[in-house]
């Protein structure tokens, strides 16, 4: 983008993320799952709206190993905008907090993503927070 700052993100985006998340406690799952490891596939889609100051609100539909939770609201901030070491690109830190409905997801800490901005889109990957250890990545496309 022409400028590397919160205003570069202003607008509404649809997004898709995939990866892996930790297995919730078996007694909290709607249907207990038999897995060989300690992680489950995680997929989510949703929308997020950023203001010119980096504040954002949105919602997700999330599937963790078959446990589906829909229309989960979240809010967050984007901070730490910076260009690459040679003046190229624009990256930032996106922190968000979900307001889950299902007990298996309630109380998890905020999620932290590193994002790379492009024209009309951004890519993201986790680097901390959330239920841990979660590994997620995805992309978002501007829709307005």
């Amino acid at each position: 983008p022409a400028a590397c700052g919160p205003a570069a993100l202003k607008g509404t985006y649809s997004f898709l993320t995939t990866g892996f998340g930790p297995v919730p406690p078996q007694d909290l799952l709607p249907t207990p799952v038999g897995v060989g490891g300690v992680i489950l596939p995680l997929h989510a889609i949703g929308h997020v709206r950023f203001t010119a100051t980096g504040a954002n609100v949105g919602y997700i539909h999330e599937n963790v190993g078959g446990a589906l939770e829909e229309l989960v609201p979240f809010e967050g901030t984007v901070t730490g905008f910076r260009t690459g070491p040679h003046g190229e690109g624009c990256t930032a830190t996106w922190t968000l907090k979900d307001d889950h409905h299902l007990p298996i997801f309630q109380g998890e800490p905020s999620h932290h993503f590193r994002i790379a901005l492009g024209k009309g889109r951004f890519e993201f990957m986790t680097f901390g927070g959330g239920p841990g250890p979660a590994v997620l990545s995805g992309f978002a496309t501007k829709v307005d």
Side-chain angles (χ1 to χ4, degrees):
C4 185
L9 269 175
K10 184 179 178 189
T12 302
Y13 297 77
S14 64
F15 65 85
L16 165 71
T17 185
T18 61
F20 298 93
V23 176
Q26 294 291 307
D27 61 331
L28 295 178
L29 289 170
T31 303
V33 295
V35 295
V38 295
I39 59 172
L40 289 174
L42 188 152
H43 304 281
I45 58 172
H47 282 89
V48 59
R49 183 178 69 243
F50 292 93
T51 68
T53 64
N56 58 86
V57 295
Y59 69 90
I60 61 170
H61 299 283
E62 187 173 53
N63 182 325
V64 181
L68 181 64
E69 188 175 25
E70 298 186 280
L71 294 171
V72 177
F74 65 82
E75 59 182 63
T77 58
V78 179
T79 58
F81 286 86
R82 59 185 178 217
T83 57
H86 306 288
E88 74 286 353
C90 181
T91 63
T93 298
W94 180 21
T95 300
L96 64 87
K97 178 74 173 136
D98 301 312
D99 186 13
H100 289 287
H101 313 298
L102 295 178
I104 62 173
F105 301 117
Q106 289 175 347
E108 70 183 17
S110 296
H111 301 276
H112 304 289
F113 298 92
R114 186 77 68 221
I115 65 173
L117 283 68
K119 187 172 183 168
R121 66 180 281 134
F122 65 91
E123 287 82 30
F124 57 93
M125 67 176 191
T126 55
F127 73 92
V135 177
L136 304 171
S137 64
F139 64 90
T141 305
K142 197 168 188 179
V143 295
D144 75 352

